[in-house]
Amino acid sequence: MNDRRNIIILGAPMESEALLEGVNLMPAALRAAGLVDAVGGVDLGDLPIAITDAARDPSTGLVAYEQIRVATGLVRNGVLDLLRRPGLPLVIGGCCGVLVGIFAALRRHAGRTGLAFVDGHYDYYDGATSPAGALADMELRVLTGAGPDELVNAGSAVPLLQPRDAWVLAFRDAWEMTAAGAPDPLAEIPDAHFRDDVRVLADGPAEVGAEAATALAADPGRFWLHLDLDALSTTAMPAVDYLLPGGLDWEQMATLLRPLAASPALLGMDVTIYNPSLDPKRELARPIVELLAGVLDARA
Ligand SMILES: [Mn+2]
């Protein structure tokens, strides 16, 4: 345990496909694997999020739209509370949809805030092309100002995230997006900074992490770190819902994250998408805890 890091943990068990036993089980699984002691944190428990309505809303294309709106408000208020406390917020998802509420809180609390977005997917579908109709397929698009009105307007400014403040790292689903006819983020938000998994490994994970951290610390001067565990290879992390070839191994991921986690400009971090129901013996929970503890150790 390392109390100097003063990490504040909040569970956000959002499962935006309304699977009743999916990524919503992640906070409990990581706690059972020793998360709180390993990161040296204070645990505020879980937000009371329940996504149970499997119907897809015809106008937005989203599953459980009303429940997603309510959950986004809970995340916003919960993260606002975290940001007002001393210490570094660590939000445990859940799915990547938690980022909408997180950025609504960041906008209110800190104003313009950057994002280091480490994710196997762009998460840039629209309601028509999203395979699952999940907010977790489209949160980067919502954050940068396109999508269902009530989510795009969840904070005090639109967009919640300026494209130029987004560093989109380690994605590898461009081919899948093209096949689905999804919006192309390279065309729609060209000011964002894109480094796919091949580029991250070619340039070096340490170099790419440091490049993003340095740029975000300079402008806008503060940022959030998002980690979707499906940015790991499916060999390293098979317990995710959408498998893709490619990706980073555990050490490459730690190397990419460390300079971001160590930055004084970091306002907080979320981690998402581990699905314990695909890992019945919970063998992957401890490596996740060790990854988080290892990268947050850079702040000590
Ligand atoms: Mn994602």
Side-chain angles (χ1 to χ4, degrees), residues 212-294:
T214 301
L216 288 165
D219 182 50
R222 64 197 76 82
F223 69 96
W224 186 268
L225 173 58
H226 163 69
L227 172 60
D228 179 331
L229 290 160
D230 71 14
L232 289 160
S233 73
T234 54
T235 308
M237 173 44 67
V240 298
D241 292 310
Y242 296 96
L243 304 176
L244 289 166
L248 277 57
D249 68 23
W250 290 100
E251 187 48 44
Q252 291 160 343
M253 180 59 75
T255 305
L256 171 66
L257 296 176
R258 214 170 276 124
L260 293 157
S263 172
L266 184 72
L267 294 189
M269 175 178 184
D270 71 277
V271 56
T272 62
I273 295 295
Y274 166 54
N275 182 347
S277 71
L278 300 176
D279 179 26
K281 294 182 179 168
R282 305 294 195 260
E283 289 166 339
L284 294 161
R286 188 63 197 174
I288 296 167
V289 165
E290 286 168 2
L291 174 71
L292 295 173

Side-chain angles (χ1 to χ4, degrees), residues 72-154:
T72 295
L74 288 170
V75 173
R76 179 188 60 215
N77 293 340
V79 173
L80 258 179
D81 175 54
L82 290 195
L83 290 166
R84 288 168 178 155
R85 294 168 183 255
L88 188 82
L90 174 61
V91 176
I92 307 296
C95 71
C96 300
V98 298
L99 270 175
V100 178
I102 288 170
F103 263 76
L106 289 166
R107 261 288 173 191
R108 170 82 54 90
H109 180 79
R112 200 182 125 215
T113 302
L115 173 62
F117 183 87
V118 180
D119 201 306
H121 301 80
Y122 286 111
D123 293 348
Y124 201 81
Y125 284 93
D126 58 19
T129 58
S130 163
L135 178 58
D137 288 342
M138 57 185 83
E139 82 281 353
L140 184 60
R141 193 158 184 275
V142 170
L143 291 175
T144 50
D149 278 350
E150 290 156 302
L151 297 177
V152 168
N153 292 286

Side-chain angles (χ1 to χ4, degrees), residues 8 35 45 66 69 72 127 140 155 191 253 255:
I8 324 167
L35 174 70
E66 184 57 32
R69 283 203 316 110
T72 295
L140 184 60
D191 293 342
M253 180 59 75
T255 305

Side-chain angles (χ1 to χ4, degrees), residues 149-215:
D149 278 350
E150 290 156 302
L151 297 177
V152 168
N153 292 286
S156 52
V158 178
L160 293 170
L161 170 68
Q162 296 285 347
R164 70 180 185 279
D165 299 334
W167 283 73
V168 185
L169 306 176
F171 59 89
R172 58 188 199 274
D173 69 331
W175 58 278
E176 221 172 31
M177 302 272 300
T178 304
D184 178 5
L186 277 66
E188 294 203 2
I189 48 168
D191 293 342
H193 309 267
F194 297 99
R195 306 283 188 271
D196 69 8
D197 63 335
V198 173
R199 173 85 183 268
V200 167
L201 295 176
D203 289 359
E207 286 73 14
V208 172
E211 180 190 18
T214 301

